[in-house]
Amino acid sequence: MGQQEKVATSLAGTVSEEISASLTAVDAELARRYPGDPGTRQPVHTVYVPGDVFAPGTLRSWGDQALAALDEHAPDAASFAAVLGIPEELAGPVHDRVRAKLEREPVEDLRIDFEDGYGPRPDAEEDGAAARAARLVSEAYANGTAAPYMGIRMKCMEAGVRDRGIRTTDVFLTGLMEAGGLPEGLVLTLPKVTYPEQVTAFVRLLEAFEKAHGLDAGRLGFEIQIETSQSILAADGTAAVARMIDAAQGRATGLHYGTFDYSACVGVSAAYQASDHPAADHAKAVMQVAAAGTGVRVSDGSTNVLPVGPTDRVHEAWRLHYGLTRRALACAYYQGWDMHPGHLPTRYAAVYAFYREGLEPAAARLAAYVAKAGGDVMDEPATAKALSGYLLRGIDCGALDTAEVARLTGLTRADLDAFASPRRGDLTVTAP
């Protein structure tokens, strides 16, 4: 031990106390607005099915159609990898996991659509379809055939369709309550939001429903769909999407980018409307910054190029979808939309390749951080949080196995959760 240094201070203890007192309101505001990621599973995609098309066998049908497309257009690991440019060492693991996923859980998040995919219908017809959707969703959760997340997209809060959207929401939620209650995986999507006041209005609707049924306040959350330029930049020059998150009063769970409505809104011609257009990148970057730290997750949009027809056309559409999905993952958009069963093979191939190719480097960096070991990179707590989140996302979607992650990192699932969503105080790491 060396010579003990003399420690001297100049400020009275009351200075620190006064500063802390002056920041009490800010501390509370930070905790309210920026609680961090909720630590729950985020689906890798959302599948949209029109309200009149959804049936008891829809999820299984999508999986079967996706498997049939693989069998027809890329019947083995080598051919599938060749189409997409997957490295040889990942070809087998990715192909096998994609097929297993399509057999076990082809859809992670399903939205029964009563908006653009459904269109205007007679009120009695939409009432019946909404009630039927509630019954089928309840039955799916009861018999174990549900996707992890399921719900509806209602019509928006604009004047022309507002009453219809409110009624469809009421019919659907009431049907769920009468069938036994709201499922844990319930998701609602509010489309074409332009003003924060529309979010406030939807919150009032959900508050009224909760009160009518004696539900806990805040039980019902929802996604906000960003499809208009006004939701990104308001008339006063502010980022309206940030105010929309605030207007949701803690109920917002996601921001979903609407590729084609937004592109059309800002004047992009039809041939160039895509999720990698500069206009799309700008909108999603604003969404990403507005949502950061709030616990609200960002989802990319979709492609309208469907993998149908002869094999060469299917391969072309697959390569496009795979590339867009990989690009989104690199940009930290971990969710997107899929509009056709043929998109499922490339959705999961892109996601699984993304996580499997980064498994060993991420695990090694996290293990070194825990061990405080040296290396080529000096990581900080924020990086450990990102590494843990990366591994957890891979586990949740089926790209990685808990056992292999534990073997490479020396950490349990609980340890990863703690790093990804740290609480106040010291972090205790246990052996797997």
Side-chain angles (χ1 to χ4, degrees):
M1 297 291 292
Q3 179 180 352
Q4 186 171 358
E5 296 291 338
K6 179 183 177 181
V7 177
T9 62
S10 302
L11 301 177
T14 54
V15 173
S16 179
E17 294 172 2
E18 290 169 358
I19 290 174
S20 292
S22 72
L23 291 173
T24 299
V26 171
D27 293 339
E29 186 75 347
L30 281 170
R32 181 184 73 83
R33 289 182 181 273
Y34 302 103
D37 190 86
T40 55
R41 174 182 179 181
Q42 181 180 8
V44 302
H45 68 169
T46 300
V47 163
Y48 277 73
V49 176
D52 57 338
V53 173
F54 178 60
T58 294
L59 298 179
R60 186 61 266 152
S61 174
W62 272 60
D64 291 342
Q65 291 179 67
L67 286 166
L70 272 178
D71 290 338
E72 180 177 356
H73 303 293
D76 53 44
S79 59
F80 192 46
V83 171
L84 303 178
I86 297 174
E88 183 179 353
E89 64 273 16
L90 291 178
V94 168
H95 177 265
D96 293 347
R97 286 174 183 268
V98 168
R99 290 197 67 93
K101 180 74 168 181
L102 295 175
E103 292 167 356
R104 181 186 73 254
E105 187 184 76
V107 175
E108 292 195 356
D109 183 27
L110 177 75
R111 207 67 72 249
I112 305 166
D113 192 15
F114 288 94
E115 203 231 355
D116 284 349
Y118 185 76
R121 307 288 180 97
D123 283 340
E125 182 178 344
E126 184 160 339
D127 280 352
R132 176 175 172 273
R135 175 176 59 82
L136 294 179
V137 168
S138 294
E139 290 175 355
Y141 277 104
N143 63 28
T145 62
Y149 299 95
M150 297 180 75
I152 64 167
R153 177 172 71 168
M154 67 293 296
K155 291 177 173 64
C156 69
M157 298 299 285
E158 293 178 354
V161 294
R162 182 184 304 137
D163 289 344
R164 183 63 260 179
I166 291 172
R167 181 170 176 83
T168 295
T169 304
D170 187 10
V171 170
F172 177 71
L173 293 177
T174 300
L176 292 177
M177 292 299 298
E178 292 181 347
L182 305 179
E184 286 301 317
L186 174 65
V187 187
L188 304 174
T189 302
L190 179 65
K192 292 184 176 61
V193 181
T194 304
Y195 281 78
E197 289 81 1
Q198 293 169 327
V199 174
T200 300
F202 198 65
V203 168
R204 290 174 182 160
L205 169 63
L206 300 183
E207 287 175 340
F209 188 88
E210 289 167 349
K211 184 176 181 180
H213 288 273
L215 298 171
D216 292 339
R219 169 63 182 85
L220 289 163
F222 60 98
E223 301 165 337
I224 300 170
Q225 203 157 5
I226 304 301
E227 303 178 88
T228 66
S229 62
Q230 295 89 346
S231 60
I232 295 299
L233 188 68
D236 62 0
T238 61
V241 65
R243 292 194 285 133
M244 290 174 184
I245 293 174
D246 191 51
Q249 300 176 32
R251 294 177 184 265
T253 59
L255 300 174
H256 283 229
Y257 176 68
T259 303
F260 303 102
D261 282 291
Y262 187 89
S263 297
C265 182
V266 297
V268 179
S269 61
Y272 297 97
Q273 293 177 0
S275 61
D276 59 350
H277 189 280
D281 284 341
H282 171 258
K284 287 180 288 187
V286 174
M287 292 162 59
Q288 191 174 51
V289 174
T294 65
V296 178
R297 286 151 167 181
V298 175
S299 173
D300 199 2
S302 63
T303 175
N304 61 357
V305 179
L306 303 184
V308 296
T311 295
D312 59 340
R313 289 182 58 186
V314 170
H315 286 180
E316 183 179 357
W318 273 354
R319 281 189 288 269
L320 174 65
H321 185 241
Y322 180 88
L324 290 173
T325 303
R326 285 301 306 257
R327 182 180 188 272
L329 291 167
C331 293
Y333 308 132
Y334 299 112
Q335 185 174 355
W337 296 6
D338 288 326
M339 311 303 290
H340 188 273
H343 286 141
L344 299 186
T346 39
R347 170 67 61 183
Y348 292 121
V351 170
Y352 289 2
F354 175 76
Y355 288 111
R356 293 212 64 80
E357 69 187 21
L359 167 60
E360 292 190 5
R365 285 180 66 180
L366 186 56
Y369 175 86
V370 173
K372 300 295 190 292
D376 296 334
V377 180
M378 183 68 72
D379 285 323
E380 298 185 355
T383 304
K385 178 179 179 180
L387 291 167
S388 298
Y390 173 87
L391 295 172
L392 286 169
R393 291 178 186 278
I395 291 171
D396 285 342
C397 71
L400 310 176
D401 297 326
T402 303
E404 66 179 338
V405 173
R407 175 176 55 81
L408 291 169
T409 62
L411 302 175
T412 66
R413 171 70 192 239
D415 295 331
L416 295 174
D417 285 332
F419 275 118
S421 300
R423 301 291 185 263
R424 294 183 181 217
D426 295 333
L427 178 68
T428 299
V429 178
T430 59

